[in-house]
Amino acid sequence: MRDTIFTRNRSVPVFIAILTLLAIAVTILSEAYGTGALSVSFTKVLGMTLCLCLAALAMDLVWGYCGILSLGHFAFFGLGGYMIGMWLMTARTEVVIRANLASSPIPPTEAEISQATALQIFSVVGAEDWPWMWAVSDSLVLSLLLVVLVPGLLALVFGWLAFRSRVTGVYLSILTQAMTLALSLYLFQNDTGLRGNNGLSGLQNIPGAEGVGQDRISIWFFWASALALGLCYVGAAWLVSGKFGNIVRGIRDDELRVRFLGYPVEVYKLVVFTLTAMICGVAGALYYPQAGIINPDEIAPIASIYLAVWVAIGGRGRLYGAVIGAAVVSLLSTYFTGGRAPDLNLGFYRVEWIDWWPVLLGLGFVLVTLFAPKGLAGLVDYLVRKERT
């Protein structure tokens, strides 16, 4: 039998089959192309959940396989959102400006339209001119390139400085968290050019699709998110199923021995760190147009900690475990914090799940760590072994 990724990693065909069935089911039940059983808002929730699964997949590669506990990968997720968000705001605002000036007795020049667009976007922070970082925000192609290049470049520089100094363990985790905190605090400032605490809003309005309803746009983004997750899962499975994956797992288990064998440990770690940052950038670029807004709070260090918790609950070192963990926690979070879960009246105290959800999440993490170190994926492994026997 020919050796392929489907034979080397048995989870790939199963995962792709489940993802395909999910995409078909959501399409059939959607308001745009199906029965309407799924609301537009819930379709967006499912699409955003797939994006979070993609970020968890990247986190599993860098932590579960390479042993680097990064508490900063959600910063790359947010950067991807900001890169595409700048194009969305620029293009959408320009459409509005052109429509408003179309009835002017004297047709406006392109310079006047550009100035009016900048004023509309940045007046909220008291600015009128285009910041330097918006130089290519009028180009979709260049913006899409920045979605992967900016997170990748930041990860490359940070990783090169950290790994060449042989910073490992908890010290590296603290450094990644410090990087995330510094970036978040920087973005909170109004003079950064990214609208400070206001962030970028109205991202759900896709330029060129003004006549298209959110019902169709939501399912389009769901398809795109499913496609990105499927492709990255296959790519990640291919990466960890060969020699590269064996070396990376060796670095995780015994870095010193791998170094003595002559492998360039820093290079392997840098490749994984940079590649996963780029994957997170893609996930963020798909997530925030569905969320509709991005602000510096999204890049706060707690978000990266949540990402690690998802992977731990799902089962690190197993690609499907990371996806399961992110999906389960994300959907439960939507249920408990979105007002869907009824409050529990104990007589002497009223449990409001919106406030108690972080407690439940923390408790779940502790219980999984103590009693199920393989996470939810360990249950899947058990069921598969039991079926075979």
Side-chain angles (χ1 to χ4, degrees), residues 185-230:
L185 294 176
Y186 172 75
L187 292 175
F188 267 113
Q189 303 176 41
N190 287 336
D191 58 356
T192 59
L194 290 172
R195 293 168 36 108
N197 187 48
N198 299 280
L200 308 181
S201 58
L203 306 185
Q204 74 277 8
N205 301 312
I206 308 302
E210 288 78 14
V212 181
Q214 284 296 313
D215 55 346
R216 281 197 283 171
I217 290 177
S218 64
I219 198 67
W220 292 351
F221 270 102
F222 176 84
W223 291 340
S225 303
L227 178 61
L229 178 59

Short mmCIF file of all heavy atoms in Angstrom, two decimals, residues 185-230:
data_model
loop_
_atom_site.label_atom_id
_atom_site.label_comp_id
_atom_site.label_asym_id
_atom_site.label_seq_id
_atom_site.Cartn_x
_atom_site.Cartn_y
_atom_site.Cartn_z
N LEU A 185 -0.98 46.76 25.38
CA LEU A 185 -0.89 48.11 25.93
C LEU A 185 -0.57 49.13 24.84
O LEU A 185 -1.07 50.27 24.87
CB LEU A 185 0.17 48.15 27.03
CG LEU A 185 -0.14 47.34 28.30
CD1 LEU A 185 1.02 47.38 29.27
CD2 LEU A 185 -1.42 47.86 28.96
N TYR A 186 0.25 48.73 23.89
CA TYR A 186 0.58 49.64 22.78
C TYR A 186 -0.66 49.95 21.96
O TYR A 186 -0.90 51.10 21.58
CB TYR A 186 1.65 48.99 21.92
CG TYR A 186 1.94 49.75 20.63
CD1 TYR A 186 2.67 50.94 20.64
CD2 TYR A 186 1.47 49.27 19.42
CE1 TYR A 186 2.93 51.64 19.48
CE2 TYR A 186 1.72 49.96 18.24
CZ TYR A 186 2.46 51.14 18.27
OH TYR A 186 2.70 51.82 17.11
N LEU A 187 -1.46 48.96 21.68
CA LEU A 187 -2.65 49.15 20.85
C LEU A 187 -3.72 49.96 21.56
O LEU A 187 -4.60 50.55 20.91
CB LEU A 187 -3.22 47.80 20.42
CG LEU A 187 -2.34 46.99 19.46
CD1 LEU A 187 -2.96 45.62 19.21
CD2 LEU A 187 -2.16 47.73 18.14
N PHE A 188 -3.70 50.00 22.88
CA PHE A 188 -4.68 50.79 23.63
C PHE A 188 -4.47 52.29 23.44
O PHE A 188 -5.39 53.08 23.68
CB PHE A 188 -4.61 50.44 25.13
CG PHE A 188 -5.57 49.37 25.54
CD1 PHE A 188 -5.11 48.14 25.97
CD2 PHE A 188 -6.94 49.60 25.51
CE1 PHE A 188 -5.99 47.15 26.36
CE2 PHE A 188 -7.83 48.60 25.88
CZ PHE A 188 -7.36 47.38 26.32
N GLN A 189 -3.29 52.71 23.04
CA GLN A 189 -3.00 54.13 22.87
C GLN A 189 -3.67 54.66 21.60
O GLN A 189 -3.64 54.02 20.56
CB GLN A 189 -1.49 54.36 22.80
CG GLN A 189 -0.73 53.83 24.01
CD GLN A 189 0.76 53.99 23.87
OE1 GLN A 189 1.24 55.02 23.39
NE2 GLN A 189 1.51 52.99 24.27
N ASN A 190 -4.22 55.85 21.69
CA ASN A 190 -4.93 56.44 20.56
C ASN A 190 -4.02 56.84 19.41
O ASN A 190 -4.46 56.96 18.28
CB ASN A 190 -5.73 57.67 21.01
CG ASN A 190 -6.96 57.29 21.82
OD1 ASN A 190 -7.47 56.18 21.70
ND2 ASN A 190 -7.42 58.20 22.67
N ASP A 191 -2.74 57.08 19.71
CA ASP A 191 -1.83 57.56 18.66
C ASP A 191 -1.09 56.43 17.96
O ASP A 191 -0.13 56.67 17.24
CB ASP A 191 -0.83 58.56 19.24
CG ASP A 191 -0.01 57.97 20.38
OD1 ASP A 191 -0.28 56.81 20.77
OD2 ASP A 191 0.90 58.66 20.89
N THR A 192 -1.53 55.19 18.14
CA THR A 192 -0.86 54.08 17.47
C THR A 192 -1.28 53.95 16.01
O THR A 192 -0.61 53.28 15.23
CB THR A 192 -1.20 52.75 18.18
OG1 THR A 192 -2.62 52.55 18.16
CG2 THR A 192 -0.70 52.75 19.61
N GLY A 193 -2.40 54.56 15.65
CA GLY A 193 -2.89 54.46 14.27
C GLY A 193 -3.93 53.37 14.09
O GLY A 193 -4.43 53.18 12.98
N LEU A 194 -4.28 52.68 15.16
CA LEU A 194 -5.27 51.60 15.07
C LEU A 194 -6.49 51.90 15.93
O LEU A 194 -7.14 50.99 16.43
CB LEU A 194 -4.64 50.26 15.45
CG LEU A 194 -3.62 49.73 14.42
CD1 LEU A 194 -2.89 48.51 14.96
CD2 LEU A 194 -4.30 49.40 13.11
N ARG A 195 -6.77 53.19 16.14
CA ARG A 195 -7.97 53.68 16.82
C ARG A 195 -8.06 53.29 18.29
O ARG A 195 -9.13 53.31 18.87
CB ARG A 195 -9.23 53.22 16.07
CG ARG A 195 -9.37 53.85 14.71
CD ARG A 195 -10.42 53.22 13.84
NE ARG A 195 -11.61 52.78 14.52
CZ ARG A 195 -12.82 53.37 14.44
NH1 ARG A 195 -12.95 54.47 13.72
NH2 ARG A 195 -13.87 52.85 15.04
N GLY A 196 -6.92 52.99 18.90
CA GLY A 196 -6.86 52.77 20.32
C GLY A 196 -7.89 51.81 20.85
O GLY A 196 -8.14 50.74 20.28
N ASN A 197 -8.53 52.19 21.97
CA ASN A 197 -9.50 51.32 22.62
C ASN A 197 -10.74 51.10 21.76
O ASN A 197 -11.48 50.12 21.95
CB ASN A 197 -9.91 51.92 23.97
CG ASN A 197 -10.79 50.99 24.77
OD1 ASN A 197 -10.49 49.82 24.91
ND2 ASN A 197 -11.89 51.52 25.29
N ASN A 198 -10.99 51.99 20.80
CA ASN A 198 -12.16 51.84 19.92
C ASN A 198 -12.01 50.65 18.98
O ASN A 198 -13.01 50.06 18.56
CB ASN A 198 -12.37 53.12 19.11
CG ASN A 198 -12.61 54.33 19.97
OD1 ASN A 198 -13.71 54.55 20.45
ND2 ASN A 198 -11.57 55.12 20.20
N GLY A 199 -10.78 50.33 18.63
CA GLY A 199 -10.54 49.21 17.73
C GLY A 199 -11.11 49.46 16.35
O GLY A 199 -11.38 50.59 15.93
N LEU A 200 -11.29 48.39 15.62
CA LEU A 200 -11.84 48.44 14.27
C LEU A 200 -13.22 47.78 14.31
O LEU A 200 -13.36 46.65 14.77
CB LEU A 200 -10.93 47.69 13.29
CG LEU A 200 -9.44 48.09 13.30
CD1 LEU A 200 -8.67 47.28 12.26
CD2 LEU A 200 -9.27 49.57 13.06
N SER A 201 -14.22 48.48 13.80
CA SER A 201 -15.59 47.99 13.91
C SER A 201 -16.25 47.94 12.53
O SER A 201 -15.71 48.43 11.54
CB SER A 201 -16.40 48.89 14.84
OG SER A 201 -16.38 50.24 14.37
N GLY A 202 -17.43 47.34 12.51
CA GLY A 202 -18.16 47.21 11.25
C GLY A 202 -17.53 46.24 10.27
O GLY A 202 -17.77 46.33 9.06
N LEU A 203 -16.75 45.30 10.78
CA LEU A 203 -16.00 44.40 9.90
C LEU A 203 -16.89 43.37 9.21
O LEU A 203 -16.46 42.71 8.27
CB LEU A 203 -14.90 43.69 10.70
CG LEU A 203 -13.93 44.59 11.48
CD1 LEU A 203 -12.84 43.75 12.12
CD2 LEU A 203 -13.33 45.66 10.60
N GLN A 204 -18.13 43.24 9.68
CA GLN A 204 -19.03 42.28 9.07
C GLN A 204 -19.59 42.79 7.74
O GLN A 204 -20.19 42.02 6.98
CB GLN A 204 -20.19 41.95 10.02
CG GLN A 204 -21.23 43.06 10.15
CD GLN A 204 -20.81 44.13 11.16
OE1 GLN A 204 -19.68 44.13 11.65
NE2 GLN A 204 -21.72 45.04 11.47
N ASN A 205 -19.39 44.07 7.45
CA ASN A 205 -19.86 44.66 6.19
C ASN A 205 -18.78 44.50 5.14
O ASN A 205 -17.79 45.22 5.13
CB ASN A 205 -20.20 46.13 6.39
CG ASN A 205 -21.27 46.34 7.45
OD1 ASN A 205 -22.30 45.67 7.43
ND2 ASN A 205 -21.03 47.23 8.39
N ILE A 206 -18.96 43.56 4.25
CA ILE A 206 -17.93 43.21 3.27
C ILE A 206 -18.03 44.14 2.06
O ILE A 206 -19.09 44.23 1.42
CB ILE A 206 -18.09 41.75 2.82
CG1 ILE A 206 -18.15 40.83 4.04
CG2 ILE A 206 -16.95 41.35 1.90
CD1 ILE A 206 -16.95 40.92 4.95
N PRO A 207 -16.95 44.87 1.72
CA PRO A 207 -16.96 45.74 0.55
C PRO A 207 -17.24 44.94 -0.73
O PRO A 207 -16.74 43.84 -0.92
CB PRO A 207 -15.54 46.31 0.54
CG PRO A 207 -15.07 46.20 1.95
CD PRO A 207 -15.69 44.96 2.48
N GLY A 208 -18.07 45.50 -1.58
CA GLY A 208 -18.44 44.83 -2.81
C GLY A 208 -19.61 43.88 -2.66
O GLY A 208 -20.08 43.31 -3.64
N ALA A 209 -20.07 43.70 -1.42
CA ALA A 209 -21.20 42.81 -1.17
C ALA A 209 -22.29 43.55 -0.42
O ALA A 209 -22.95 42.99 0.46
CB ALA A 209 -20.75 41.57 -0.39
N GLU A 210 -22.46 44.83 -0.76
CA GLU A 210 -23.44 45.65 -0.05
C GLU A 210 -24.86 45.12 -0.22
O GLU A 210 -25.69 45.30 0.66
CB GLU A 210 -23.37 47.10 -0.55
CG GLU A 210 -22.13 47.87 -0.09
CD GLU A 210 -20.88 47.53 -0.90
OE1 GLU A 210 -21.03 46.90 -1.98
OE2 GLU A 210 -19.78 47.89 -0.45
N GLY A 211 -25.14 44.49 -1.35
CA GLY A 211 -26.48 43.97 -1.58
C GLY A 211 -26.70 42.55 -1.08
O GLY A 211 -27.78 41.99 -1.27
N VAL A 212 -25.67 41.99 -0.46
CA VAL A 212 -25.75 40.61 0.03
C VAL A 212 -26.09 40.63 1.51
O VAL A 212 -25.47 41.35 2.30
CB VAL A 212 -24.43 39.87 -0.21
CG1 VAL A 212 -24.53 38.43 0.29
CG2 VAL A 212 -24.05 39.90 -1.68
N GLY A 213 -27.04 39.83 1.92
CA GLY A 213 -27.44 39.78 3.31
C GLY A 213 -26.46 39.04 4.19
O GLY A 213 -25.63 38.25 3.71
N GLN A 214 -26.55 39.30 5.49
CA GLN A 214 -25.66 38.64 6.44
C GLN A 214 -25.90 37.13 6.49
O GLN A 214 -25.02 36.38 6.91
CB GLN A 214 -25.84 39.25 7.83
CG GLN A 214 -25.19 40.61 8.00
CD GLN A 214 -23.68 40.57 7.87
OE1 GLN A 214 -23.02 39.71 8.46
NE2 GLN A 214 -23.13 41.49 7.09
N ASP A 215 -27.07 36.68 6.06
CA ASP A 215 -27.32 35.24 6.06
C ASP A 215 -26.38 34.53 5.11
O ASP A 215 -25.82 33.46 5.43
CB ASP A 215 -28.77 34.96 5.71
CG ASP A 215 -29.20 35.60 4.39
OD1 ASP A 215 -28.47 36.46 3.88
OD2 ASP A 215 -30.27 35.22 3.87
N ARG A 216 -26.16 35.13 3.94
CA ARG A 216 -25.25 34.50 2.98
C ARG A 216 -23.79 34.73 3.36
O ARG A 216 -22.95 33.84 3.22
CB ARG A 216 -25.53 35.02 1.57
CG ARG A 216 -26.73 34.36 0.91
CD ARG A 216 -26.74 34.59 -0.57
NE ARG A 216 -27.19 35.94 -0.91
CZ ARG A 216 -27.12 36.46 -2.13
NH1 ARG A 216 -26.60 35.77 -3.12
NH2 ARG A 216 -27.56 37.69 -2.35
N ILE A 217 -23.48 35.95 3.83
CA ILE A 217 -22.10 36.25 4.22
C ILE A 217 -21.65 35.34 5.35
O ILE A 217 -20.51 34.85 5.38
CB ILE A 217 -21.97 37.73 4.62
CG1 ILE A 217 -22.12 38.62 3.38
CG2 ILE A 217 -20.63 37.99 5.29
CD1 ILE A 217 -22.07 40.10 3.68
N SER A 218 -22.55 35.06 6.29
CA SER A 218 -22.18 34.20 7.42
C SER A 218 -21.85 32.79 6.96
O SER A 218 -20.89 32.18 7.46
CB SER A 218 -23.33 34.17 8.45
OG SER A 218 -24.49 33.57 7.89
N ILE A 219 -22.59 32.26 6.01
CA ILE A 219 -22.31 30.90 5.55
C ILE A 219 -21.06 30.88 4.68
O ILE A 219 -20.31 29.90 4.69
CB ILE A 219 -23.54 30.31 4.80
CG1 ILE A 219 -23.42 28.78 4.71
CG2 ILE A 219 -23.69 30.92 3.43
CD1 ILE A 219 -23.52 28.06 6.00
N TRP A 220 -20.79 31.96 3.95
CA TRP A 220 -19.55 32.04 3.17
C TRP A 220 -18.33 31.96 4.09
O TRP A 220 -17.38 31.24 3.81
CB TRP A 220 -19.51 33.33 2.35
CG TRP A 220 -20.52 33.38 1.24
CD1 TRP A 220 -21.32 32.36 0.80
CD2 TRP A 220 -20.86 34.52 0.45
NE1 TRP A 220 -22.14 32.80 -0.22
CE2 TRP A 220 -21.88 34.11 -0.47
CE3 TRP A 220 -20.44 35.85 0.40
CZ2 TRP A 220 -22.44 34.98 -1.40
CZ3 TRP A 220 -21.00 36.72 -0.52
CH2 TRP A 220 -21.98 36.28 -1.42
N PHE A 221 -18.39 32.73 5.17
CA PHE A 221 -17.26 32.71 6.10
C PHE A 221 -17.18 31.38 6.83
O PHE A 221 -16.08 30.93 7.18
CB PHE A 221 -17.37 33.87 7.11
CG PHE A 221 -16.70 35.12 6.64
CD1 PHE A 221 -17.42 36.17 6.12
CD2 PHE A 221 -15.32 35.25 6.71
CE1 PHE A 221 -16.80 37.33 5.69
CE2 PHE A 221 -14.68 36.39 6.29
CZ PHE A 221 -15.42 37.45 5.76
N PHE A 222 -18.30 30.75 7.07
CA PHE A 222 -18.27 29.41 7.67
C PHE A 222 -17.55 28.44 6.74
O PHE A 222 -16.71 27.65 7.19
CB PHE A 222 -19.69 28.93 7.95
CG PHE A 222 -19.75 27.52 8.47
CD1 PHE A 222 -19.57 27.25 9.82
CD2 PHE A 222 -19.94 26.44 7.61
CE1 PHE A 222 -19.60 25.95 10.30
CE2 PHE A 222 -19.98 25.14 8.07
CZ PHE A 222 -19.80 24.89 9.42
N TRP A 223 -17.88 28.48 5.45
CA TRP A 223 -17.19 27.62 4.49
C TRP A 223 -15.69 27.90 4.47
O TRP A 223 -14.88 26.98 4.46
CB TRP A 223 -17.77 27.83 3.09
CG TRP A 223 -19.16 27.35 2.91
CD1 TRP A 223 -19.83 26.43 3.68
CD2 TRP A 223 -20.09 27.75 1.89
NE1 TRP A 223 -21.11 26.24 3.20
CE2 TRP A 223 -21.30 27.03 2.10
CE3 TRP A 223 -20.02 28.64 0.82
CZ2 TRP A 223 -22.41 27.19 1.28
CZ3 TRP A 223 -21.13 28.79 -0.01
CH2 TRP A 223 -22.30 28.07 0.23
N ALA A 224 -15.32 29.19 4.43
CA ALA A 224 -13.91 29.56 4.40
C ALA A 224 -13.18 29.07 5.65
O ALA A 224 -12.04 28.58 5.58
CB ALA A 224 -13.77 31.07 4.25
N SER A 225 -13.83 29.19 6.80
CA SER A 225 -13.23 28.74 8.06
C SER A 225 -13.06 27.23 8.06
O SER A 225 -12.02 26.70 8.50
CB SER A 225 -14.10 29.17 9.24
OG SER A 225 -14.27 30.58 9.26
N ALA A 226 -14.07 26.51 7.56
CA ALA A 226 -13.98 25.04 7.49
C ALA A 226 -12.87 24.62 6.53
O ALA A 226 -12.11 23.67 6.82
CB ALA A 226 -15.31 24.46 7.06
N LEU A 227 -12.76 25.30 5.40
CA LEU A 227 -11.72 24.96 4.43
C LEU A 227 -10.34 25.21 5.01
O LEU A 227 -9.43 24.37 4.86
CB LEU A 227 -11.91 25.79 3.15
CG LEU A 227 -10.87 25.59 2.05
CD1 LEU A 227 -10.88 24.15 1.55
CD2 LEU A 227 -11.12 26.56 0.89
N ALA A 228 -10.16 26.35 5.68
CA ALA A 228 -8.85 26.66 6.28
C ALA A 228 -8.49 25.65 7.35
O ALA A 228 -7.34 25.19 7.44
CB ALA A 228 -8.88 28.07 6.88
N LEU A 229 -9.46 25.26 8.19
CA LEU A 229 -9.20 24.28 9.24
C LEU A 229 -8.85 22.93 8.63
O LEU A 229 -7.91 22.26 9.10
CB LEU A 229 -10.42 24.15 10.15
CG LEU A 229 -10.33 23.12 11.27
CD1 LEU A 229 -9.16 23.42 12.19
CD2 LEU A 229 -11.64 23.07 12.07
N GLY A 230 -9.57 22.51 7.60
CA GLY A 230 -9.29 21.23 6.96
C GLY A 230 -7.91 21.19 6.34
O GLY A 230 -7.15 20.22 6.52
#
